[in-house]
C-alpha cells in the first residue's frame, strides 16, 4: 500500500519519537538497527524529512535526529503525504488517470470508502502516541 520509502519513514519517525521522549538524539546507525533498515537508505529518507520540517537534527558529538513537541503531534498522514504524496488518499484503486464519480472504475465506490477510512485512521494516529506501546512491548518496529 505504501512505498518502501514511506514504510521506513513511518517506522523511523515512531522509533525516533520513542528516543526523543527520553530527551535523546539518535544517530543513523542506531535508527537503522532499531527498525531493521539499510543505513544509507534511511539516511536519505531522514534528511528529506528533516528538510521538510517533520523532524529535527543536530550536528556534532551530541548530534542526531530527534522530535520536538510539535513534531511529536504530527500524524502518520503527514508523513505519508511528505513521502508518497496525496495519491493514496485521492487516487484510483486501479491506478486509472480518469476515475471519478461520473466515470468510475469497477472498484471506485468501495475503494473511495476504504480510502477515506485509511485517511481518518492515519490522521488520528500521532507519531508520539506509539511510544508507550513500544516500551511495554505491545507493538514492534522490527522482527
Amino acid at each position: 500500500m505504501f512505498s518502501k520509502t514511506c514504510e521506513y519513514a513511518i517506522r523511523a519517525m515512531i522509533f525516533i519519537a520513542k528516543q526523543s521522549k527520553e530527551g535523546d538524539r539518535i544517530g543513523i546507525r542506531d535508527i537503522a538497527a532499531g527498525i531493521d533498515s539499510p543505513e544509507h537508505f534511511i539516511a536519505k529518507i531522514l534528511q528529506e524529512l528533516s528538510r521538510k520540517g517533520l523532524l529535527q537534527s543536530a550536528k556534532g558529538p551530541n548530534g542526531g535526529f530527534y522530535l520536538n513537541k510539535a513534531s511529536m503531534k504530527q500524524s502518520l498522514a503527514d508523513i505519508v503525504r511528505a513521502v508518497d504524496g496525496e495519491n493514496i488518499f485521492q487516487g484510483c484503486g486501479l491506478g486509472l488517470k480518469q476515475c471519478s464519480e461520473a466515470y468510475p472504475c469497477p472498484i471506485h465506490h468501495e475503494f473511495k470508502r476504504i480510502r477515506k477510512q485509511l485517511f481518518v485512521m492515519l490522521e488520528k494516529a500521532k507519531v508520539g502516541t506509539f511510544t508507550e506501546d513500544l516500551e511495554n512491548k505491545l507493538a514492534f518496529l522490527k522482527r
Side-chain angles (χ1 to χ4, degrees), residues 91-115:
C92 172
L94 298 179
L96 301 177
K97 294 177 185 173
Q98 298 289 323
C99 181
S100 67
E101 292 295 315
Y103 297 100
C105 74
I107 65 168
H108 177 79
H109 300 292
E110 183 70 15
F111 189 72
K112 181 178 171 184
R113 186 180 60 75
I114 292 167
R115 193 175 58 206

Side-chain angles (χ1 to χ4, degrees), residues 26-134:
I26 186 161
I28 294 292
R29 185 169 286 130
D30 292 330
I31 295 167
I35 66 168
D36 199 22
S37 77
E39 276 184 48
H40 69 281
F41 192 42
I42 199 63
K44 289 179 182 181
I45 294 168
L46 294 179
Q47 287 170 352
E48 183 65 17
L49 292 175
S50 180
R51 190 181 65 74
K52 291 182 177 181
L54 274 75
L55 80 151
Q56 293 67 48
S57 66
K59 296 181 189 229
N62 295 320
F65 291 95
Y66 64 98
L67 298 177
N68 62 22
K69 286 184 180 187
S71 294
M72 291 284 236
K73 295 177 183 175
Q74 292 177 112
S75 71
L76 296 188
D78 293 332
I79 300 167
V80 171
R81 275 192 293 270
V83 176
D84 282 351
E86 293 282 343
N87 196 46
I88 195 165
F89 303 128
Q90 299 172 354
C92 172
L94 298 179
L96 301 177
K97 294 177 185 173
Q98 298 289 323
C99 181
S100 67
E101 292 295 315
Y103 297 100
C105 74
I107 65 168
H108 177 79
H109 300 292
E110 183 70 15
F111 189 72
K112 181 178 171 184
R113 186 180 60 75
I114 292 167
R115 193 175 58 206
K116 181 176 170 81
Q117 289 173 336
L118 177 65
F119 176 76
V120 168
M121 179 198 64
L122 293 173
E123 194 62 42
K124 285 182 180 178
K126 305 301 180 193
V127 173
T129 61
F130 298 100
T131 59
E132 193 172 312
D133 282 350
L134 291 172

